[in-house]
Amino acid sequence: MSEQESLKSSSARNRGGVQRVEGKLRASVERGDYYEAHQMYRTLFFRYMSQAKHAEARELMYNGALLFFSYNQQNSAADLSMLVLESLEKSGAKVDDETLEHLAKLFSLMDPNSPERVAFVSRAIKWSSGGSGEVGPPQTTPAAGAHIVESESRYHFLHSSDGEGCAQMLVEYSSARGFHGEVDMFVAQAVLQFLCLKNKTSALVVFTTYTQKHPSIEKGPPFVQPLLNFLWFLLLAVDGGKLTVFTVLCEQYQPSLKRDPMYNEYLDRIGQLFFGVPPKQSSSYGGLLGNLLNSLMGSGEEEEGEEAQEDSSPIELD
């Protein structure tokens, strides 16, 4: 038997062994023996790691975490998720799309109020930023951040009102691995998503905290970056609810808004929530500005006292 065939045979045996072990552990979980199963997962993890079977250990912990999540065993699932990261750190694993998707999946399933959630995302960012001692090439570095930040935005931002915590996480990641020319884009997505949930308070907190604490942003407003000025004006505009102001604002900052195609999608929703813009429809103008112009021509000036948003405290941008 050649060396290559021997390696393939060994890999197949190892995979078969992992599957058999997973079958027994799954049976324990299905019986409700959560503690016993959890401890067995941990025992097997350290056994595999001591034998330098890092991939097997990581696969077992990932599948085990998903299993515990499916039974709403948050503590056990979070613990195995942290062991997934430990295997990545100790094995010196390279950043790749599949691993990043796995980390994002685990993160998305964690309880938004779980303390392990913050530790998990911080540790994941550190690893993907070169914590293993191997910094990825330029084309892979943004991918690491994209998965983590996208996951954070999609799950944590949507289920909490921790604007300050979100801002701090964005500052840390942007400072460590972000491109200098994209410093404004990190906070833009968070602000727009908060506004899409009619959460003006958290949108303001994440914006002010980020711009005050980020070392690459000069004190404002006004800011050097046009996109940050747009966000500042937008936060003021949603508090006033004036459609004409929103229309002019979006028109004037179109060059900045074209940097990410999602911005106009978010703004369409924000226009509907705060300024009475009708849902998207076909028009000769098309897009966000078409919706705004159609609304202006169809409804005339907005009434002074009409508001399309929930009550909140006045916005202050000192």
Side-chain angles (χ1 to χ4, degrees):
M1 183 182 292
S2 67
E3 182 178 355
Q4 185 175 8
E5 290 174 335
S6 178
L7 288 173
K8 287 183 178 180
S9 176
S10 176
S11 176
R13 285 197 302 273
N14 288 337
R15 177 65 188 132
V18 171
Q19 288 178 330
R20 285 192 295 275
V21 169
E22 285 184 328
K24 294 179 180 179
L25 291 169
R26 177 176 291 276
S28 292
V29 173
E30 290 174 348
R31 288 196 304 268
D33 297 331
Y34 303 127
Y35 178 79
E36 178 184 339
H38 182 196
Q39 294 308 309
M40 184 58 68
Y41 270 110
R42 290 183 60 84
T43 298
L44 289 170
F45 173 79
F46 292 111
R47 180 181 299 172
Y48 280 144
M49 291 296 288
S50 68
Q51 298 171 353
K53 295 180 178 179
H54 303 126
E56 289 88 348
R58 185 158 59 251
E59 180 182 0
L60 187 63
M61 294 306 102
Y62 175 70
N63 291 333
L66 294 182
L67 179 61
F68 277 119
F69 277 128
S70 71
Y71 281 83
N72 199 31
Q73 297 298 304
Q74 283 284 331
N75 291 338
S76 296
D79 181 60
L80 298 192
S81 298
M82 297 301 284
L83 292 180
V84 170
L85 286 172
E86 184 172 330
S87 73
L88 291 169
E89 295 163 348
K90 291 187 175 180
S91 66
K94 299 287 185 68
V95 175
D96 61 63
D97 287 341
E98 182 180 10
T99 302
L100 294 171
E101 289 172 3
H102 284 178
L103 295 180
K105 176 68 173 178
L106 294 174
F107 181 78
S108 73
L109 295 171
M110 290 183 182
D111 185 338
N113 298 316
S114 168
E116 289 86 358
R117 205 164 186 264
V118 177
F120 181 85
V121 72
S122 299
R123 195 167 168 182
I125 290 175
K126 182 178 180 181
W127 168 75
S128 68
S129 301
S132 64
E134 192 76 38
V135 178
Q139 64 267 30
T140 57
T141 300
H147 280 78
I148 300 300
V149 173
E150 177 186 13
S151 180
E152 175 69 7
S153 299
R154 184 175 298 174
Y155 299 102
H156 182 65
F157 291 0
L158 297 182
H159 296 287
S160 79
S161 297
D162 184 14
E164 186 172 357
C166 292
Q168 187 60 47
M169 185 279 294
L170 291 170
V171 168
E172 290 175 3
Y173 179 73
S174 172
S175 300
R177 300 307 303 167
F179 292 106
H180 181 75
E182 297 179 351
V183 64
D184 49 351
M185 298 180 72
F186 279 88
V187 71
Q189 185 183 48
V191 169
L192 296 176
Q193 286 183 337
F194 270 133
L195 290 177
C196 284
L197 295 173
K198 300 187 74 173
N199 190 341
K200 293 191 297 181
T201 301
S202 293
L204 176 60
V205 171
V206 74
F207 178 78
T208 54
T209 303
Y210 183 88
T211 54
Q212 289 171 2
K213 293 188 176 181
H214 201 295
S216 298
I217 296 178
E218 296 182 16
K219 187 177 181 180
F223 301 95
V224 173
Q225 298 87 349
L227 184 58
L228 293 182
N229 286 324
F230 169 79
L231 295 173
W232 173 50
F233 285 126
L234 178 63
L235 288 166
L236 293 173
V238 296
D239 201 46
K242 295 291 185 65
L243 179 57
T244 50
V245 174
F246 182 58
T247 305
V248 172
L249 184 60
C250 292
E251 187 175 35
Q252 291 296 316
Y253 283 92
Q254 270 301 298
S256 293
L257 298 178
K258 288 179 179 178
R259 294 169 64 192
D260 187 328
M262 282 303 298
Y263 291 163
N264 280 337
E265 295 295 324
Y266 290 136
L267 288 167
D268 269 315
R269 179 61 179 160
I270 291 167
Q272 295 168 32
L273 293 173
F274 295 98
F275 302 96
V277 177
K280 274 189 173 182
Q281 56 186 341
S282 299
S283 71
S284 57
Y285 297 100
L288 172 69
L289 292 180
N291 279 339
L292 296 174
L293 291 171
N294 286 340
S295 180
L296 281 172
M297 292 186 293
S299 61
E301 278 191 36
E302 294 286 295
E303 295 181 10
E304 285 290 325
E306 184 176 350
E307 292 186 1
Q309 71 271 16
E310 295 178 345
D311 292 336
S312 68
S313 57
I315 290 182
E316 298 178 1
L317 292 174
D318 294 333

